[in-house]
Amino acid sequence: WMPSQNWNGKFQGVGHGGFAGSIGYAGLAVALRAGFAAAATDTGHEAGGTDARWALGHPEKIVDFGYRAVHLTAVTGKAIVQSFYGAAPRWAYFASCSNGGRQALMEAQRFPDDYNGLIAGAPANYITHLQAGSEYISWVGLKDGLNAPGYIPRDKLAVIHKAALAACDAKDGVRDGVITDPRRCHFAPKTIQCSSADGPDCLTAPQVKTVERIYAGAKFAEGRQIFPGFEVGSELGWGGMTSGPEPFSIGTGFFKYMVFGDPKWDFRTLNVDRDTRVADQRLGKIVNAIDPNLKSFKAHGGKVIMYHGWADPAIAPGNSINYYESVVGAMGGVQQTQDFLRLFMAPGMGHCQGGAGPNTFDAVGALEQWREHNTPPEKMIASHSTNGTGDVTRPLCPYPKVAIYKGTGSTSDAANFVCGTPNW
């Protein structure tokens, strides 16, 4: 899509969540309104975003989905722009979330010259481990059926969430229904275990065990983490994976149609240690974007903004922190990394959007200022709305910094917070 007038001289690639399968028209429209010429791809197949049946018997389509389609869309899109306007775009950016975040990091790793800047929101970049971890979370609660002792009914998610907030919300000095950094709180689900019979406001002992396993996440047999578990504060969103009767279709479809090529594969047979290893062996080099060596991307001035909501109930936010820290190790340290890549963790934000915390912010604008004017984002102001009315603003800070309340003024106003290292 190309503006017929008032083109800003820039190109934007638009990504897609899930398994793609359609053109992201909404993302194209946002880019177009901002003056960009923009391009998107269905990544080589037509299907619903949670439907993986297209992959059965088609390894070439998995390659398209894994990395080829987004790269060729960038190459071809920029050529079309040059033909239409008679000039090449001065700057090229890519912005997306979830699988689109994986696409962004894949571009940085495999095709570092495609874009000048990338926005990778809640990236599904370790997709073999993500889907194994997601299927494991479903397996924990659903493998024995909805009448099993460890099954957690949807209405008990609010009970767990209320207890989590009671334990953790005020730790940052502001009681606002949002947990600033869940890792700094140690909520024990056993504190709401029923004293006798099951009840609506407590958990049975088997249910406590299920919750503990969801927080802990999937692990290999020797104890090494496969994928992080969900964070304290994300409980209201667990229903898609834990309420059943079947798991969320993306994880099951991944194993049925992409890993095992068997439409009859049953999630109840999951052996997370074995099946993760099979997924890695068969698909890891095609779909995973976990290479921390971004020297080629950095060398031509490329910039990356990553972001992730702490309350994400689809892709555990610890995955983004793990990747960021791997880049720090590969690139020579924090400063060398933050010269071109910064991660912003959003308290209370769900998967790519929504949630109790501020979740709307201008990452594209911040990226443009950084790449074009060498002004790195020291913070991004995020806002939250209720029924269409803005009610809270808060700075999002480059990890590992967090927003700290100054101690005076409205806690709903970003001006009363600073980015820093907490002592709580």
Side-chain angles (χ1 to χ4, degrees):
W1 287 13
M2 295 174 288
S4 60
Q5 55 187 352
N6 300 321
W7 176 45
N8 64 10
K10 305 173 190 180
F11 173 80
Q12 185 176 140
V14 175
H16 204 298
F19 291 125
S22 62
I23 300 297
Y25 292 112
L28 287 172
V30 171
L32 192 74
R33 284 195 294 267
F36 288 91
T41 173
D42 60 12
T43 73
H45 65 273
E46 295 182 1
T50 62
D51 182 359
R53 288 176 293 180
W54 54 268
L56 187 63
H58 287 283
E60 80 286 356
K61 291 187 178 183
I62 296 177
V63 174
D64 286 340
F65 167 79
Y67 60 84
R68 186 163 54 199
V70 171
H71 166 59
L72 294 180
T73 299
V75 173
T76 307
K78 288 188 285 186
I80 292 170
V81 168
Q82 179 161 3
S83 177
F84 184 75
Y85 292 110
R90 292 180 289 111
W91 304 99
Y93 299 108
F94 184 94
S96 196
C97 191
S98 194
N99 179 60
R102 180 192 67 87
Q103 293 169 338
L105 295 181
M106 187 70 83
E107 282 290 293
Q109 294 164 26
R110 282 184 179 262
F111 308 105
D113 295 327
D114 280 356
Y115 290 99
N116 302 111
L118 303 160
I119 294 172
N125 62 305
Y126 209 164
I127 195 168
T128 57
H129 285 214
L130 161 64
Q131 302 305 351
S134 298
E135 202 71 355
Y136 169 81
I137 285 173
S138 295
W139 178 87
V140 163
L142 299 176
K143 61 182 172 58
D144 296 322
L146 305 189
N147 294 318
Y151 173 71
I152 302 174
R154 191 179 288 267
D155 56 6
K156 284 202 175 184
L157 298 179
V159 175
I160 305 167
H161 184 65
K162 180 180 178 181
L165 289 182
C168 302
D169 181 10
K171 193 170 182 66
D172 59 3
V174 179
R175 189 176 292 277
D176 56 358
V178 171
I179 301 172
T180 296
D181 185 345
R183 299 173 308 164
R184 295 176 179 270
C185 173
H186 303 287
F187 166 60
K190 198 167 185 177
T191 59
I192 54 172
Q193 183 171 319
C194 302
S195 57
S196 54
D198 189 8
D201 298 321
C202 60
L203 300 177
T204 65
Q207 289 171 340
V208 167
K209 184 66 174 177
T210 297
V211 174
E212 289 174 343
R213 294 170 84 175
I214 291 171
Y215 287 140
K219 296 180 180 180
F220 287 111
E222 75 273 17
R224 181 167 53 94
Q225 193 88 50
I226 293 174
F227 203 75
F230 292 145
E231 297 292 341
V232 173
S234 65
E235 301 80 12
L236 294 180
W238 290 2
M241 291 187 187
T242 64
S243 293
E246 296 290 322
F248 187 45
S249 60
I250 287 183
T252 300
F254 179 79
F255 280 99
K256 280 185 176 181
Y257 303 111
M258 298 177 77
V259 177
F260 295 118
D262 179 8
K264 295 182 179 180
W265 182 81
D266 188 340
F267 84 95
R268 295 169 186 85
T269 67
L270 177 75
N271 179 313
V272 74
D273 179 290
R274 177 197 65 209
D275 296 347
T276 302
R277 296 179 194 275
V278 173
D280 281 342
Q281 190 273 325
R282 295 182 179 178
L283 296 173
K285 292 181 180 179
I286 300 171
V287 299
N288 287 341
I290 56 174
D291 185 353
N293 183 351
L294 302 180
K295 292 178 181 177
S296 294
F297 183 74
K298 181 181 181 181
H300 72 74
K303 308 295 184 186
V304 183
I305 290 178
M306 293 177 61
Y307 67 86
H308 210 133
W310 271 120
D312 193 329
I315 300 177
N319 176 66
S320 284
I321 293 174
N322 288 346
Y323 179 70
Y324 169 83
E325 291 181 343
S326 75
V327 175
V328 170
M331 299 300 291
V334 172
Q335 187 56 57
Q336 291 86 342
T337 298
Q338 293 208 346
D339 283 344
F340 80 103
L341 183 151
R342 297 191 178 196
L343 168 64
F344 295 81
M345 302 300 293
M349 180 177 169
H351 183 55
C352 297
Q353 60 186 350
N359 51 65
T360 301
F361 46 92
D362 183 12
V364 173
L367 184 64
E368 289 177 290
Q369 288 297 313
W370 194 7
R371 182 61 187 91
E372 298 171 29
H373 304 289
N374 199 30
T375 305
E378 302 299 340
K379 61 183 177 182
M380 292 192 295
I381 302 300
S383 62
H384 179 275
S385 298
T386 300
N387 298 324
T389 301
D391 49 17
V392 176
T393 59
R394 191 71 55 85
L396 302 183
C397 306
Y399 180 85
K401 293 180 179 179
V402 302
I404 301 173
Y405 180 51
K406 294 179 180 179
T408 59
S410 171
T411 57
S412 298
D413 187 347
N416 298 319
F417 290 78
V418 295
C419 291
T421 302
N423 57 10
W424 30 268

